[in-house]
């Protein structure tokens, strides 16, 4: 029930109380007035009768008996007392019946009608109140029932979430174990052909693609440690793809399969989204995979068509902290520079990669890194010197 309706009910009750007070006052005045009129008529009749008796009675009225049986004998003393009471009533009646009481008496019928109307309205409002009270009680019971159902559902959801977490941990552990074993098996080049036979290869490529996307979306801000099951699972998947790309048959298969090309594009995206302070091993596997793909002519053309590949490699070479990753990055860039009709790509490398970075790498203490940097610089200069 709204507050406005409740205030309306209170107003009706206040009006009823006030009207009842006026009604009682007017009723009392009316009764008193009727009593006074009755006494006044009786007094007038008595006085009239006394006057008539005095005309016909003898002078010794006190000792004689009344001759008329229809008349009342009143002594002079009683008559004087009645006259005195009559005079007092005449004097006090105007004081009692003042204008306020007369006005209230005149409004008595109207007040009675209003009170009857108010009684009817209050009865209707009381019925409405009882109706809303009943609905309120039913609503409260429904709320309590819903609270119990909500609590039950929350308990069920909590239990389901717990089971889902346990199932997720189990799946991650199972995936890490199985894929790690498969990663080891895929190091054997003879097993690659057997691995790529059948209709489930496309499903495997799609699964790796979605797993990498989900992994980056979930842990982009804070990558998990490499010892966790999730990280081991993702590393094993990337390791399998890298081993596939390490064989000539596997490189050709990846480049002629649409799902394989989509997967390589996803791996390049992962390479750009992993922070340089984490997941060094994951970047290492992806860089090796791309380098293996670049050995294939179709793979080289595919990598060259990847948008932003040169700025990405230049950024990795500048920001990367792991020496192995820097070496693989330069090897991939070197593979791109020795391709035919790549003058535009060389200009892009010169724009994105500061010469100071290459010169610094050429003078570093790590022999393999220094040698790879020198080879990359020589290849760039050789291509620029070509007519």
């Amino acid at each position: 029930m709204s507050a406005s309706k409740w205030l309306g009910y209170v107003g009706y009750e206040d009006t009823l109380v006030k009207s009842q007070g006026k009604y009682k006052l007017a009723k009392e005045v009316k009764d008193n007035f009727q009593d006074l009129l009755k006494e006044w008529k009786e007094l007038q009749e008595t006085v009239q009768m006394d006057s008539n008796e005095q005309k016909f009675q003898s002078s010794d009225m006190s000792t004689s008996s009344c001759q008329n049986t229809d008349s009342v004998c009143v002594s002079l003393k009683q008559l004087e007392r009645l006259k005195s009471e009559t005079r007092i009533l005449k004097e006090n009646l105007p004081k009692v019946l003042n204008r306020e009481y007369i006005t209230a008496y005149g409004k008595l019928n109207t007040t009675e009608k209003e009170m009857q109307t108010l009684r009817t309205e209050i009865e209707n409002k009381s019925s409405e109140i009882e109706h809303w009270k009943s609905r309120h009680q039913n609503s409260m019971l429904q709320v309590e029932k819903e609270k119990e159902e909500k609590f039950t559902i929350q308990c069920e959801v909590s239990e389901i979430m717990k089971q889902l977490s346990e199932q997720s941990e189990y799946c991650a552990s199972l995936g890490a174990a199985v894929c790690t074993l498969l990663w080891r098996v895929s190091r054997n080049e003879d097993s690659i052909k057997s691995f790529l036979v059948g209709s489930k290869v496309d499903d495997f490529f799609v699964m790796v693609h979605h797993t990498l996307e989900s992994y980056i979306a979930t842990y982009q801000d804070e990558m998990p440690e490499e010892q966790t099951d999730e990280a081991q699972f993702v590393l094993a998947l990337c390791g399998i793809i890298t081993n596939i790309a390490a064989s000539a048959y596997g490189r050709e298969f990846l480049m002629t399969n649409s799902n394989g090309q989509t997967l390589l594009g996803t791996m390049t995206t992962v390479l750009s989204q992993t922070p340089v302070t984490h997941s060094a091993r994951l970047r290492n596997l992806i860089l090796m995979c791309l380098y293996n793909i670049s050995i294939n002519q179709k793979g080289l053309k595919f990598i060259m068509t990847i948008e932003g590949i040169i700025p990405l490699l230049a950024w990795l070479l500048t920001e990367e902290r792991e020496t192995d990753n820097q070496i693989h990055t330069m090897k991939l860039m070197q593979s791109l520079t020795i391709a035919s009709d790549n003058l535009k790509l060389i200009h892009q490398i010169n724009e994105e990669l500061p010469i100071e970075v290459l010169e610094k790498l050429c003078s570093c203490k790590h022999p393999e890194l220094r040698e790879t940097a020198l080879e990359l610089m020589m290849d760039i200069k050789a291509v620029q010197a070509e007519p």
Side-chain angles (χ1 to χ4, degrees):
M1 182 175 60
S2 63
S4 59
K5 286 187 176 182
W6 176 252
L7 292 174
Y9 301 153
V10 174
Y12 280 122
E13 293 178 356
D14 293 341
T15 305
L16 178 59
V17 172
K18 293 179 181 178
S19 300
Q20 287 178 342
K22 291 182 179 180
Y23 175 76
K24 289 180 180 179
L25 179 61
K27 184 68 175 177
E28 185 178 352
V29 170
K30 181 179 179 180
D31 294 340
N32 292 336
F33 183 73
Q34 295 292 341
D35 293 339
L36 288 173
L37 285 178
K38 183 177 180 181
E39 291 181 3
W40 176 251
K41 288 180 181 179
E42 291 178 355
L43 182 60
Q44 284 181 336
E45 291 175 359
T46 302
V47 171
Q48 184 65 32
M49 293 169 65
D50 290 341
S51 299
N52 292 333
E53 282 185 10
Q54 286 180 354
K55 293 179 181 179
F56 297 102
Q57 283 182 351
S58 62
S59 57
D60 194 8
M61 186 177 178
S62 58
T63 56
S64 63
S65 57
C66 297
Q67 299 296 324
N68 192 352
T69 57
D70 295 332
S71 302
V72 177
C73 296
V74 180
S75 64
L76 290 175
K77 185 176 180 181
Q78 291 176 340
L79 182 61
E80 291 298 329
R81 184 171 62 82
L82 288 174
K83 288 180 178 180
S84 177
E85 291 178 357
T86 302
R87 187 183 72 254
I88 294 172
L89 287 174
K90 287 181 178 181
E91 293 175 354
N92 293 331
L93 189 61
K95 296 179 181 179
V96 176
L97 300 177
N98 56 22
R99 181 173 296 179
E100 180 180 355
Y101 290 152
I102 293 174
T103 303
Y105 178 74
K107 295 180 179 180
L108 182 61
N109 292 333
T110 303
T111 304
E112 289 178 348
K113 292 180 180 180
E114 290 178 356
M115 287 187 62
Q116 185 62 34
T117 303
L118 288 174
R119 284 194 187 97
T120 303
E121 291 180 359
I122 288 175
E123 288 177 358
N124 294 334
K125 296 299 180 183
S126 298
S127 300
E128 189 175 352
I129 289 173
E130 293 300 323
H131 169 70
W132 286 108
K133 283 183 177 179
S134 177
R135 291 193 60 180
H136 174 70
Q137 292 176 355
N138 293 334
S139 299
M140 292 301 295
L141 293 175
Q142 185 67 23
V143 168
E144 292 297 326
K145 182 179 179 181
E146 290 179 357
K147 284 183 177 179
E148 293 178 358
E149 293 177 354
K150 182 180 178 181
F151 178 75
T152 303
I153 293 174
Q154 286 178 342
C155 293
E156 293 177 354
V157 169
S158 178
E159 182 64 24
I160 292 173
M161 291 299 293
K162 181 180 178 182
Q163 294 176 2
L164 182 61
S165 178
E166 294 176 353
Q167 189 71 18
S168 177
E169 292 176 359
Y170 172 76
C171 291
S173 177
L174 178 63
V178 172
C179 290
T180 300
L181 294 175
L182 188 58
W183 184 10
R184 294 175 183 175
V185 173
S186 65
R187 292 174 184 173
N188 186 353
E189 188 172 353
D190 295 335
S191 65
I192 297 299
K193 292 184 179 181
S194 300
F195 184 83
L196 297 177
V197 173
S199 60
K200 293 299 181 180
V201 179
D202 287 334
D203 295 339
F204 176 74
F205 288 161
V206 172
M207 185 269 290
V208 177
H209 161 72
H210 289 303
T211 301
L212 288 175
E213 283 188 338
S214 177
Y215 182 76
I216 291 300
T218 304
Y219 299 110
Q220 185 174 7
D221 296 331
E222 186 177 357
M223 290 291 180
E225 297 295 332
E226 292 185 356
Q227 293 75 18
T228 61
D229 290 332
E230 292 87 350
Q232 290 294 319
F233 180 42
V234 171
L235 288 174
L237 291 175
C238 291
I240 294 170
I241 301 300
T242 301
N243 288 342
I244 292 175
S247 68
Y249 180 80
R251 289 191 292 271
E252 185 68 21
F253 188 90
L254 285 169
M255 286 299 97
T256 56
N257 187 286
S258 60
N259 291 321
Q261 293 182 7
T262 302
L263 174 57
L264 291 173
T266 303
M267 294 178 73
T268 305
T269 303
V270 172
L271 192 64
S272 65
Q273 293 182 351
T274 53
V276 294
T277 55
H278 296 83
S279 303
R281 193 179 180 193
L282 178 61
R283 289 195 302 277
N284 184 275
L285 290 171
I286 295 176
L287 287 169
M288 285 194 297
C289 178
L290 294 176
Y291 174 73
N292 292 337
I293 291 295
S294 69
I295 299 174
N296 182 279
Q297 191 65 27
K298 294 179 182 177
L300 181 62
K301 292 181 179 180
F302 172 79
I303 294 175
M304 293 175 65
T305 59
I306 297 176
E307 185 177 358
I309 185 64
I310 297 302
L312 173 60
L313 295 177
W315 172 76
L316 282 173
L317 193 58
T318 304
E319 301 295 333
E320 183 60 61
R321 300 180 182 181
E322 294 294 328
T323 303
D324 287 344
N325 290 348
Q326 289 179 319
I327 293 173
H328 290 303
T329 301
M330 285 191 292
K331 284 184 177 182
L332 179 56
M333 294 180 71
Q334 187 179 12
S335 180
L336 295 175
T337 57
I338 62 176
S340 60
D341 60 6
N342 61 353
L343 189 59
K344 182 179 178 181
L345 185 141
I346 295 299
H347 289 313
Q348 190 176 8
I349 292 176
N350 289 331
E351 292 176 359
E352 298 293 340
L353 182 62
I355 191 63
E356 295 82 5
V357 175
L358 274 178
E359 291 177 349
K360 183 179 178 181
L361 293 173
C362 290
S363 60
C364 68
K365 296 181 180 181
H366 195 283
E368 187 178 0
L369 181 60
R370 182 176 64 251
E371 182 179 352
T372 306
L374 288 171
E375 291 177 358
L376 177 60
M377 183 175 288
M378 291 175 62
D379 291 337
I380 293 174
K381 290 180 179 180
V383 173
Q384 290 176 339
E386 292 179 359

